[in-house]
Amino acid sequence: FSLKPPTEIVGLEADSAARPAARIAQRALALELTALIHGDAEALRVEEASRALFGRGDSATLDAQTLAAALTEAPHSQVPARPAPVVDLLVACGLCDSKGAARRAIAEGGAYVNNVRVTDVAAQAGPDDALAGGWLLLRRGKRAIGGVRFAD
């Protein structure tokens, strides 16, 4: 399902066999298909957003439109424009079922605000911490993302 040259495909297969958890071939195919449908610039923007959302890139570089598009597809919530405990924000957006679960996530080192690990269960975040468009990017563990948007 690729228009890549056969030598490049063989290289992707070898890299994938050596490091299956990295999903190198799947990522390359996703990028290629996105570029075919939406163009190269959009494919690179989506790849950058994916890296930023999952902690492998700088979330501060995302523009408001990209961030909003990504986070409205994830668990999210709108909250008043004032500082709030991260514990409450994790519950508000649905990443944690309860404040106790949110506290455990923080204590175990698995909670992030804008890809920065939260280490204090009493930590707060507010509009001053928001990314483009008034969003906070929240993450629990490696793959569970969500967001809160501060009301204007």
Side-chain angles (χ1 to χ4, degrees):
F1 299 118
S2 176
L3 301 175
K4 292 184 180 298
T7 54
E8 191 173 340
I9 292 171
V10 169
L12 287 170
E13 288 174 342
D15 289 346
S16 292
R19 296 183 305 140
R23 302 179 59 160
I24 296 166
Q26 290 93 330
R27 291 175 197 273
L29 181 60
L31 180 63
E32 183 178 4
L33 288 176
T34 303
L36 282 171
I37 295 168
H38 299 287
D40 290 336
E42 186 67 16
L44 292 175
R45 192 170 75 113
V46 167
E47 185 179 41
E48 178 185 331
S50 175
R51 281 194 307 270
L53 290 173
F54 293 100
R56 296 182 314 273
D58 185 4
S59 57
T61 63
L62 297 177
D63 61 81
Q65 180 184 1
T66 301
L67 193 57
L71 291 178
T72 55
E73 294 297 320
H76 66 281
S77 179
Q78 189 162 337
V79 297
R82 62 176 180 262
V86 173
V87 166
D88 292 350
L89 298 173
L90 289 167
V91 174
C93 77
L95 284 178
C96 293
D97 293 331
S98 66
K99 288 183 180 186
R103 285 186 198 97
R104 281 190 299 281
I106 292 170
E108 294 169 358
Y112 300 81
V113 173
N114 298 338
N115 289 329
V116 176
R117 182 173 291 177
V118 178
T119 57
D120 181 1
V121 295
Q124 296 206 2
D128 291 344
D129 303 304
L131 300 171
W135 286 95
L136 277 181
L137 170 61
L138 301 174
R139 187 162 45 97
R140 190 192 79 232
K142 289 184 180 181
R143 292 191 170 83
I145 65 166
V148 293
R149 184 161 190 256
F150 293 104
D152 295 330

